[in-house]
Amino acid sequence: MEELNAGVVLAMAAEAPDGIVIVDSEGLIRYWNQGAERIFGYTAAEITGRGLDVIIPEKHRKRHDDGFTAAMASGTSRYGADDLLAVPALTADGTTVSIEFSVVLLTDADGKASHVGAVIRDVTARRAQEKEIRRRLLETAPAGTTP
Amino acid sequence: MEELNAGVVLAMAAEAPDGIVIVDSEGLIRYWNQGAERIFGYTAAEITGRGLDVIIPEKHRKRHDDGFTAAMASGTSRYGADDLLAVPALTADGTTVSIEFSVVLLTDADGKASHVGAVIRDVTARRAQEKEIRRRLLETAPAGTTP
């Protein structure tokens, strides 16, 4: 089996249309690929070193901080490989987008949590469609029969 | 701005719950992360060097091959950063899953297409829910009023 050049994998991560973001154990952004630039409107240069608060709506910040602190302390995340998290997020121009993301907790050689990574997909268009379908379902169904 | 160790980005790509797959210019699998192992049931060791046909349902193979050949010849993909592709895929145990994926065409220093990468998410559960909602919408709406 031919070994793939690590440079190809790094190029793939950098250029992927999905956002790939890595924060360090203090919650500061250390990696922000082109997909993240596209989704959130911040360049890697301007957002690296900042906290994620810049893209987290205020009412969600405490929940994020609590979860992050717990994951760092325990070295485990409450989210598994099958979990996709769905939240609103703020972009550079002030609009709110809907994102779905998976999370991976990266550990150092001692098994201590060192970074948290996320693969992020913008699902704003789909969420709007789902809302519209739910509205129509409620509208057309006889009273008392819809969930 | 502190440079992130490339090893952290490589660990992130390797361990991401989403599938990250890279094929070379001949369409042979050269990278298959843990997410891809989880979604499709093949280990990297057993699938590296094989073509993608192993996970593409037979009736979709020609379309995939034609698109792949065209992208390799032109050095451009017809899919942009905003495009999410949705297709059925085959897993190692013979079941069919629904996947959504983004595509990135990687080029060498001469601008020639060298690899194609995909970030793949298993959306089987969501597809089943959508189908159920559509069924209920058709069932409850007065005849002639639904799309």
Side-chain angles (χ1 to χ4, degrees):
Chain A
M1 144 176 158
E2 191 191 319
E3 266 304 311
L4 187 68
N5 190 315
V8 176
V9 182
L10 291 172
M12 164 78 202
E15 298 173 30
D18 292 298
I20 299 180
V21 170
I22 303 176
V23 300
D24 63 21
S25 58
E26 316 217 315
L28 303 180
I29 295 164
R30 292 299 171 201
Y31 185 76
W32 186 264
N33 78 341
Q34 290 174 26
E37 292 191 344
R38 190 179 65 86
I39 295 169
F40 300 107
Y42 293 100
T43 66
E46 66 189 336
I47 208 165
T48 300
R50 297 178 68 174
L52 283 174
D53 274 5
V54 66
I55 59 162
I56 301 176
E58 193 170 355
K59 67 172 181 171
H60 292 272
R61 284 178 196 161
K62 187 174 176 343
R63 195 171 61 174
H64 172 266
D65 288 348
D66 291 349
F68 186 85
T69 305
M72 280 300 138
S74 67
T76 58
S77 164
R78 73 183 120 159
Y79 303 112
D82 282 326
D83 291 317
L84 206 55
L85 287 76
V87 294
L90 300 174
T91 68
D93 67 6
T95 60
T96 300
V97 292
S98 301
I99 60 171
E100 284 181 353
F101 63 103
S102 62
V103 171
V104 52
L105 189 70
L106 300 166
T107 51
D108 61 22
D110 303 325
K112 200 164 155 285
S114 68
H115 295 83
V116 177
V119 179
I120 303 163
R121 199 159 271 179
D122 183 344
V123 298
T124 308
R126 200 186 81 222
R127 280 270 178 275
Q129 281 172 359
E130 286 168 358
K131 204 171 162 184
E132 172 63 16
I133 286 170
R134 235 174 283 125
R135 192 191 60 72
R136 289 206 331 241
L137 192 56
L138 282 165
E139 219 167 52
T140 54
T145 62
T146 32
Chain B
M1 143 176 159
E2 192 190 317
E3 268 304 311
L4 186 69
N5 191 315
V8 176
V9 182
L10 291 173
M12 163 78 202
E15 298 174 31
D18 292 298
I20 299 181
V21 171
I22 302 176
V23 300
D24 63 21
S25 57
E26 316 217 315
L28 303 180
I29 295 164
R30 292 300 169 201
Y31 185 76
W32 186 263
N33 78 339
Q34 290 175 27
E37 293 190 343
R38 190 179 65 86
I39 295 170
F40 300 107
Y42 293 100
T43 65
E46 64 190 338
I47 208 165
T48 300
R50 296 178 70 176
L52 284 174
D53 274 5
V54 67
I55 60 161
I56 302 177
E58 194 170 354
K59 68 171 180 172
H60 291 273
R61 284 178 196 161
K62 187 173 174 344
R63 195 172 61 175
H64 172 266
D65 288 348
D66 291 349
F68 186 84
T69 305
M72 279 300 139
S74 67
T76 59
S77 163
R78 75 183 118 159
Y79 303 112
D82 283 324
D83 291 317
L84 207 56
L85 286 76
V87 293
L90 300 173
T91 68
D93 68 5
T95 60
T96 300
V97 292
S98 300
I99 60 171
E100 285 181 352
F101 63 104
S102 62
V103 171
V104 52
L105 188 69
L106 300 167
T107 51
D108 60 23
D110 303 324
K112 201 164 156 284
S114 68
H115 296 83
V116 176
V119 179
I120 303 162
R121 199 158 271 179
D122 184 344
V123 297
T124 308
R126 200 186 80 221
R127 280 270 178 273
Q129 282 173 358
E130 286 168 356
K131 203 170 163 183
E132 172 62 16
I133 286 170
R134 236 174 284 124
R135 192 190 60 71
R136 291 209 324 246
L137 192 56
L138 281 165
E139 218 168 53
T140 56
T145 63
T146 32

